[in-house]
Amino acid sequence: MSEKWLTTKVAENRHWTDALFSLRVEAAQLNFQAGQFVRIALDIEGQRVARAFSFVNPPQEPALEFYGVIVPEGPLSPRLAKLRPGDDLYVAGNPAGFLVLAEVPDAETLWLISTGTGLAPFLSILRTQTPWQRFKNIVVVHAVRHAMELTYREVIQSTKARYVSFVSRETAAGSLAGRIPAAIADGSLEKAAGVALSPETSHVMLCGNPQMLRDAAAALAARGMRKHRRRAPGHITVESFW
Ligand SMILES: Cc1cc2nc3c(=O)[nH]c(=O)nc-3n(C[C@H](O)[C@H](O)[C@H](O)COP(=O)(O)OP(=O)(O)OC[C@H]3O[C@@H](n4cnc5c(N)ncnc54)[C@H](O)[C@@H]3O)c2cc1C
Ligand SMILES: NC(=O)c1ccc[n+]([C@@H]2O[C@H](COP(=O)([O-])OP(=O)(O)OC[C@H]3O[C@@H](n4cnc5c(N)ncnc54)[C@H](OP(=O)(O)O)[C@@H]3O)[C@@H](O)[C@H]2O)c1
């Protein structure tokens, strides 16, 4: 069956650093839940090349926004970074994904933990009403290599979320050093957040680097937390970006 593609026009391509960019495209009629992704595509040498991208915008906003990093050897991301206002971008008609609050059981504290562009789906979730109605505390954790990659801080800080950042490859005031799994294991993450990270109080959503997902899930397992499944409720929901 051939896929249904919407043709959208780029409205803005913001470059945060040499590698990080945010694409805004004009409204396309799409139904999705905050936290979901959609395939976006360009035609490259006669072939439609498509990749999954999480929505940054909440569903109620008409313009779509995607947050990307240039993977230098990748076929699509360097070309997305070069798009200019007025260029075409193809967007698939079928958003999907399970990193959504409808799949998350009730808890006192919701942890939204990401590396790199894995922050994207959480930005959409944060800008909907649901998390603020359902959870007493929301903690946003964002880990990057360099401080200048701590993007969208003003969006996060405009909400009531607690914000904990990690910068792993330089010293950065106000950010933790090292990696998320080690900080889960030694208690420094919950100390920085000021709330407990426990199976009794917390649900954790993880997104980004697949090795971080595995290492963080192992550190959470050592605290008695397990993957959430519809038939076997747990405390961890994950989405891997590759
Ligand atoms: C469900 C889902 C949602 C996604 N949402 C986003 C998103 O919102 N933003 C985004 O930038 N990417 C996202 N991705 C990854 C995206 O689909 C592409 O893989 C990425 O843009 C690179 O595309 P490429 O064709 O240049 O290289 P690819 O051939 O797709 O990837 C080459 C390699 O680059 C690395 N890589 C891929 N994506 C990333 C990344 N995001 N950060 C760091 N390293 C990476 C991996 O090592 C991968 O093997 C998502 C992937 C999935 C499965
Ligand atoms: N970020 C850049 O400056 C940059 C520039 C140009 C191109 N790129 C391309 O983008 C890709 C990488 O992007 P990225 O920097 O956003 O993603 P990343 O490599 O996943 O790094 C993001 C954060 O995740 C951490 N991390 C990595 N593995 C982890 C694990 N197992 N457990 C816990 N934390 C872990 C990293 O810590 P560590 O630092 O300890 O690994 C870093 O703090 C590469 O393909 C690269 O070529 C990146």
Side-chain angles (χ1 to χ4, degrees), residues 17-20 69-73 114-117 143-146 149 166-169 178-182 208-213 215-216 242:
T17 66
D18 287 350
L20 294 171
V69 63
I70 298 176
V71 178
E73 67 283 9
S114 60
T115 54
T117 53
V144 297
R145 296 178 182 185
H146 302 286
E149 294 157 3
F166 283 77
V167 174
S168 54
R169 300 199 185 185
R179 287 178 161 188
I180 291 164
N209 184 312
Q211 194 57 52
M212 180 281 282
L213 304 183
D215 295 351
W242 68 91

Side-chain angles (χ1 to χ4, degrees), residues 24-80:
R24 286 171 68 83
V25 303
E26 72 178 21
Q29 287 303 315
L30 280 182
N31 282 322
F32 69 94
Q33 296 175 57
Q36 287 193 308
F37 63 87
V38 69
R39 278 151 55 81
I40 66 176
L42 295 173
D43 287 343
I44 302 169
E45 291 159 16
Q47 296 267 11
R48 186 147 298 186
V49 178
R51 292 287 185 271
F53 270 76
S54 302
F55 296 98
V56 169
N57 57 297
Q60 70 270 16
E61 269 182 22
L64 304 182
E65 184 168 337
F66 303 107
Y67 176 43
V69 63
I70 298 176
V71 178
E73 67 283 9
L76 191 66
S77 57
R79 288 175 172 88
L80 292 174

Side-chain angles (χ1 to χ4, degrees), residues 13 32 93 107-108 117 119 146 196 229:
N13 196 351
F32 69 94
E108 189 173 303
T117 53
L119 179 66
H146 302 286
R229 295 196 170 76

